Amino acid sequence: MQDSPSDTASQKVAERRQGNTREESAVPEQATDDSTTAANGVALPVSHLTVEDILRWHSVPQPLIQALAGKTLADGLSNVLSFGTLPDATQTPLAFGGASGSGKTLVLAKLAARYILAEEHKDRPPPLIIACDHTAGSFAKLSALLQPYNIPIIQGNSPEILADAVLHKEPGQPILVDLPGICVYSPVSMGRMMQMVERVGATLSLVLPAGLDAEESADIGYAFAQQGATTMVASKMDQAGRVGGIIAAAACGLTLTYGSCSSSIVGGLVPLNAPILANRLLTLPS
């Protein structure tokens, strides 16, 4: 019987931890009066809860809970997950994929605005946006978001337009691609997305909203990793309580880069690392 994506995620976790000779408990330590810090001084939100209790509340799969055991939650996240930056879109176009409504268009707009407002980019050409999502209203939404920043947008309606856009970009100009919403369980949908990625020679990155079922998130992360994606952005982190799905998807081999924590175009993108994610996990709704 073939392993499911979530089983594969657990295998990847085990493989990444091979060679670690330090023995650790399979279950995170329970907080005591002397030890209530779980990540860089962050106290557990409820004194009688263990870290394992909190991870279970976030719907983190049990194999990952065991893999996250360590001195602190931040240490466990560092051991299990990869954190880093997005690929350089001035060298290779960067394409953002995900399901419809995943927040990928807003994430792309935030990154474009962030780039153009950065002092070090003031003498460089603005990002070129290629809109391949033909969902009703998607182009109008993207245009409205970016209109104040005079960022050029091209509708990628044909292979010729996609190829021409890449061929005639200015030197040092980043290219960001808004891919159509997909269903990872549909080979046709995934195939169409990958055709667009290949036509522009782009690097693929996943945008995944917080709050999804962890098993479904693992399926999505695994499917994108199988298609060559190496990075992901966690969207809608301000709209979800449980964020275990983000961990399940990242454990499939994707590097966590940013968390989107606001609907504002300016700001609201937080570079993710182990302490920040640990803090988010330990911040339960009141």
Side-chain angles (χ1 to χ4, degrees):
M1 182 176 177
Q2 187 175 6
D3 288 344
S4 71
S6 54
D7 290 334
T8 304
S10 301
Q11 292 171 4
K12 286 180 177 290
V13 169
E15 290 168 2
R16 291 179 66 168
R17 291 171 63 82
Q18 283 181 357
N20 184 355
T21 58
R22 182 171 64 90
E23 297 213 355
E24 299 173 345
S25 168
V27 178
E29 293 181 356
Q30 182 169 354
T32 67
D33 291 339
D34 297 325
S35 175
T36 56
T37 58
N40 282 15
V42 178
L44 292 177
V46 181
S47 60
H48 67 272
L49 293 180
T50 66
V51 176
E52 181 181 16
D53 291 332
I54 293 172
L55 294 177
R56 283 182 183 279
W57 184 86
H58 281 285
S59 300
V60 176
Q62 185 61 33
L64 283 174
I65 291 178
Q66 294 173 348
L68 289 169
K71 183 179 178 182
T72 67
L73 180 55
D75 285 342
L77 290 168
S78 262
N79 291 336
V80 172
L81 305 182
S82 172
F83 298 89
T85 59
L86 288 167
D88 184 358
T90 64
Q91 301 297 319
T92 303
L94 182 57
F96 294 93
S100 294
S102 62
K104 57 186 175 56
T105 300
L106 181 59
V107 165
L108 182 148
K110 287 184 177 188
L111 287 167
R114 182 189 185 103
Y115 181 91
I116 206 167
L117 293 173
E119 183 67 22
E120 63 268 26
H121 300 148
K122 64 179 182 179
D123 296 324
R124 299 181 185 178
L128 173 64
I129 310 301
I130 302 178
C132 297
D133 190 344
H134 303 145
T135 305
S138 63
F139 183 78
K141 175 184 176 182
L142 186 57
S143 298
L145 289 171
L146 296 179
Q147 188 273 333
Y149 306 100
N150 296 317
I151 295 174
I153 308 174
I154 296 174
Q155 281 189 291
N157 293 327
S158 70
E160 293 75 23
I161 291 176
L162 293 174
D164 187 69
V166 175
L167 184 63
H168 294 97
K169 75 159 193 151
E170 297 182 51
Q173 183 176 36
I175 296 181
L176 303 177
V177 184
D178 187 17
L179 294 169
I182 51 85
C183 170
V184 298
Y185 304 108
S186 167
V188 173
S189 178
M190 291 293 285
R192 287 174 180 166
M193 179 189 75
M194 290 311 300
Q195 285 179 356
M196 295 179 185
V197 171
E198 291 162 5
R199 282 170 185 161
V200 297
T203 301
L204 179 62
S205 186
L206 169 65
V207 177
L208 184 78
L212 292 184
D213 174 79
E215 296 294 329
E216 181 111 348
S217 298
D219 288 350
I220 295 170
Y222 178 79
F224 268 75
Q226 288 294 102
Q227 295 297 332
T230 58
T231 58
M232 65 175 282
V233 177
S235 62
K236 303 187 178 183
M237 292 193 74
D238 57 323
Q239 300 177 27
R242 293 172 171 86
V243 297
I246 298 300
I247 295 174
C252 291
L254 299 175
T255 296
L256 272 170
T257 59
Y258 290 99
S260 180
C261 305
S262 166
S263 59
S264 173
I265 297 300
V266 180
L269 269 184
V270 179
L272 290 179
N273 56 37
I276 287 175
L277 185 55
N279 186 43
R280 175 62 179 81
L281 287 163
L282 295 171
T283 304
L284 302 184
S286 57

